């Protein structure tokens, strides 16, 4: 069995090194998977689940590359210096590395979690010469909602005092003036906030491929949320083969303790192993 390989690559943007973990495919290669991690503290809470899934996929024949984006994890730079386009550039470079390592004869999967889903969506719209498939964990409809949730961490006290709206406007004014604001221990640059706020979960136009939408729930059964159903329908209307599913388990990216979601791991593996209907 091939072991995961941890290494650094030099950024094409001249911003230092990016930390990567590559999980070679075991046996006959089924596909290439590029992992796109979530945002800020959610990334740290999700590291274990991402590692478990990457190893499981590699054992099933998928080559998986995990990369810490600029200013995140063990990569160079401070979070407060990162912009949205810096991250998109990192992902283009990561995909090129994966292509060089594995060739392009197997399907490409973009595996996003939360903000990573929005990054995957934008990356795919910029890839003109290859069909992308998508594995989405808890995809948001857009980045504006996530940005609001993140900003509210800064404003928790003001919200309790009933001054939340005014405090939010002050915070936005600071960013509009080009200031980096600190939120929950993370600097947030105007370039990152602006890119996140404008990001949307839009399908690539004129593409085929598969898109797997997985949504966590604490209770067994039931339909996916209306928001997820709407997003999935938009992708299906764009011509992709879409599957949307609720999976029982904890919201591990938000829990105070590190938690596992075994059902999500199995649902993700099952989805990638499933042959497309038109194969």
């Amino acid at each position: 069995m091939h072991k995961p390989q941890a290494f650094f690559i030099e950024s094409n943007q001249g911003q230092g090194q990016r930390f990567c973990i590559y999980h070679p495919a075991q046996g006959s290669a089924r596909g290439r998977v590029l992992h796109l991690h979530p945002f800020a503290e959610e990334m740290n809470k999700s590291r274990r689940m991402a590692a478990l899934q990457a190893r499981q996929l590699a054992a099933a024949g998928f080559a998986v590359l995990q990369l810490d984006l600029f200013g995140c994890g063990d990569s160079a730079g401070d979070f407060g210096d990162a912009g949205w386009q810096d991250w998109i550039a990192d992902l283009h470079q990561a995909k090129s590395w994966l292509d060089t390592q594995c060739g392009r004869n197997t399907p490409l999967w973009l595996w996003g979690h939360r903000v990573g889903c929005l990054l995957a969506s934008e990356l795919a719209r910029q890839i003109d010469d290859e069909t992308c498939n998508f594995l989405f964990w808890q995809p948001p409809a857009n980045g504006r909602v996530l940005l609001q949730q993140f900003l509210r961490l800064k404003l928790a006290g003001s919200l309790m005092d009933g001054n939340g709206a005014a405090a939010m406007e002050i915070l936005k004014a600071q960013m509009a003036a080009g200031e980096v604001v600190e939120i929950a221990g993370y600097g947030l640059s105007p370039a990152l906030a602006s890119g996140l706020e404008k990001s949307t979960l839009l399908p690539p136009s004129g593409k085929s491929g598969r898109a797997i939408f997985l949504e966590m729930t604490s209770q067994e059964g039931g339909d996916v949320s209306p928001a997820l159903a709407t997003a999935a329908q938009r992708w299906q209307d764009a011509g992709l083969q879409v599957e949307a599913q609720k999976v029982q388990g904890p919201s591990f990216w938000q829990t105070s303790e590190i938690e596992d979601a075994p059902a999500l791991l199995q649902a993700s593996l099952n989805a990638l192993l499933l042959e497309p209907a038109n194969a």
Side-chain angles (χ1 to χ4, degrees), residues 179-259:
E179 296 181 27
V180 174
V181 297
E182 183 174 332
I183 301 172
Y186 293 87
L188 180 65
S189 72
L192 182 54
S194 175
L196 176 59
E197 186 171 32
K198 294 174 183 174
S199 65
T200 55
L201 193 70
L202 292 176
S205 60
K207 297 285 185 69
S208 55
R210 299 174 62 205
I212 313 299
F213 292 71
L214 299 180
E215 183 178 55
M216 300 303 296
T217 176
S218 59
Q219 298 184 354
E220 187 176 2
D223 298 326
V224 299
S225 67
L228 189 73
T230 299
Q233 186 63 53
R234 183 181 302 120
W235 283 61
Q236 184 167 308
D237 292 344
L240 285 92
Q241 185 177 328
V242 171
E243 301 156 51
Q245 179 183 346
K246 289 184 78 170
V247 180
Q248 188 175 17
S251 300
F252 54 90
W253 60 94
Q254 295 176 330
T255 54
S256 56
E257 303 294 333
I258 301 300
E259 294 193 43

Side-chain angles (χ1 to χ4, degrees), residues 6-24:
F7 59 94
F8 289 90
I9 58 175
E10 194 69 29
S11 165
N12 289 340
Q13 308 302 308
Q15 297 170 322
Q17 295 182 321
R18 301 290 179 271
F19 179 70
C20 302
I21 302 178
Y22 177 57
H23 305 259

Side-chain angles (χ1 to χ4, degrees), residues 64-129:
V64 183
L65 178 64
Q66 297 178 264
L67 174 137
D68 289 354
L69 297 167
F70 176 50
C72 300
D74 293 312
S75 285
D78 293 327
F79 192 88
D81 294 330
W84 187 259
Q85 292 307 318
D86 295 323
W87 288 358
I88 294 295
D90 280 354
L91 293 169
H92 276 290
Q93 186 174 355
K95 179 192 176 296
S96 294
W97 186 94
L98 192 58
D99 290 347
T100 301
Q101 190 72 21
C102 305
R104 298 179 57 170
N105 296 324
T106 59
L108 172 66
W109 285 87
L110 303 179
W111 162 28
H113 183 198
R114 300 273 285 165
V115 159
C117 302
L118 300 173
L119 289 164
S121 171
E122 183 161 340
L123 177 66
R125 295 197 298 272
Q126 296 179 12
I127 297 175
D128 296 328
D129 59 346

Side-chain angles (χ1 to χ4, degrees), residues 47-48 164 170 271 279:
R47 275 196 180 279
R48 175 175 163 77
I170 293 173

